[in-house]
Amino acid sequence: MNLELAIFGIITGFTSGFFGIGGGTILVPLLLATGFVMKEAVAISIMQMVFSSIYGSFLNAKKAKDVVKDGTIIGIGGSIGGMASGYIVPSVSNEFLQYLFIAILIFSIFRIFYSPAVQNSENQTKSTFILLVIGFFIGILAMSIGVGGSILLTPILVGYLKYDLKAATALGLFFVIFSSIAGFISTSYHGQMLFTEGATVGIGSLIGVYFGIKVKDMVKATSYKNYVLLLNILVLIIMLYKTI
């Protein structure tokens, strides 16, 4: 099982680096398919995201510098929301969390599909309050279903705040640092963290993140959008199969 979890970590890390996500959208379905229940998969996913988001954001540092300010504001909101998630997960069923995951995937697919990969206009100054509120609610939702939040944040940044897709995914991975650490603390405090399994997947993800970011830098923006959509659709199919 440890070898299997390490392989899951490499796969998840690659998708995290390439797509700018925490990796939960890939890891949670994989863990469900191998016998873990939703709450166990969420715990392992959260711990893995701490590893992949910190290392991935370090590798992305030069390219992400233009969005660090907005990312920090959203991240603070996400930290607060992530802390709150620890009070939500124990009170809801595994089935509810799976349906919530599916709803977020559908939203992301539609927003990214109808948004351009490269924006024609320059980014406008964003309201600090709005960014905090966005981060807060994404933090709650993301940590409740074991994803970093980028899968929901990216379509909002691209569809409503007019970020280029690659810049949005870089900011999204930066945001995951805040939400995943908050979620890790909260989940551990409530006695739901699987430390050994999470660390095994997390260490494996470091290898995958490195290569994922390398490949991302070589892909054109229009092709990159298609890959992002394909990822979301594949994960949606897996989740529908496991849930319905």
Side-chain angles (χ1 to χ4, degrees):
M1 176 61 74
N2 284 339
L3 177 60
E4 188 176 42
L5 290 175
I7 293 172
F8 285 175
I10 294 172
I11 295 170
T12 303
F14 181 87
T15 60
S16 179
F18 184 78
F19 294 104
I21 60 177
T25 50
I26 294 295
L27 183 57
V28 168
L30 286 175
L31 293 172
L32 291 175
T34 52
F36 289 93
V37 300
M38 186 66 177
K39 291 182 182 180
E40 293 173 337
V42 167
I44 296 170
S45 179
I46 288 173
M47 188 167 180
Q48 176 276 142
M49 284 186 281
V50 176
F51 286 79
S52 62
S53 63
I54 292 175
Y55 183 51
S57 293
F58 170 75
L59 297 176
N60 271 330
K62 292 183 179 180
K63 297 178 179 61
K65 63 183 178 181
D66 293 335
V67 294
V68 165
K69 179 182 176 181
D70 287 356
T72 300
I73 296 170
I74 297 174
I76 292 171
S79 296
I80 300 170
M83 288 288 189
S85 70
Y87 296 92
I88 297 173
V89 172
S91 62
V92 298
S93 67
N94 287 304
E95 290 75 18
F96 175 82
L97 292 176
Q98 289 177 226
Y99 280 113
L100 179 61
F101 196 172
I102 289 169
I104 290 174
L105 284 167
I106 293 172
F107 167 79
S108 299
I109 290 168
F110 276 97
R111 284 310 310 169
I112 293 174
F113 180 80
Y114 287 107
S115 300
V118 178
Q119 301 288 347
N120 295 321
S121 58
E122 295 183 0
N123 292 335
Q124 302 296 317
T125 301
K126 314 301 187 305
S127 164
T128 298
F129 175 74
I130 294 298
L131 294 176
L132 281 171
V133 170
I134 290 172
F136 175 74
F137 283 105
I138 290 177
I140 291 177
L141 290 172
M143 290 301 98
S144 296
I145 59 174
V147 301
S150 178
I151 190 170
L152 184 56
L153 179 59
T154 295
I156 291 174
L157 293 175
V158 173
Y160 297 105
L161 301 184
K162 307 306 179 184
Y163 278 94
D164 289 344
L165 183 56
K166 283 192 176 184
T169 56
L171 192 155
L173 189 58
F174 182 73
F175 168 82
V176 173
I177 295 176
F178 294 83
S179 61
S180 63
I181 290 177
F184 174 78
I185 294 171
S186 180
T187 304
S188 299
Y189 176 78
H190 288 87
Q192 299 174 355
M193 180 54 63
L194 281 70
F195 293 99
T196 301
E197 293 86 346
T200 302
V201 177
I203 292 171
S205 74
L206 299 179
I207 300 171
V209 165
Y210 176 83
F211 290 102
I213 290 176
K214 289 290 186 182
V215 174
K216 172 186 172 181
D217 291 340
M218 297 185 291
V219 175
K220 293 182 179 180
T222 51
S223 298
Y224 185 65
K225 174 181 174 178
N226 293 332
Y227 291 132
V228 172
L229 285 170
L230 179 60
L231 170 72
N232 282 268
I233 291 170
L234 288 174
V235 175
L236 176 61
I237 292 171
I238 293 171
M239 288 302 299
L240 287 172
Y241 174 77
K242 289 296 294 182
T243 304
I244 298 176

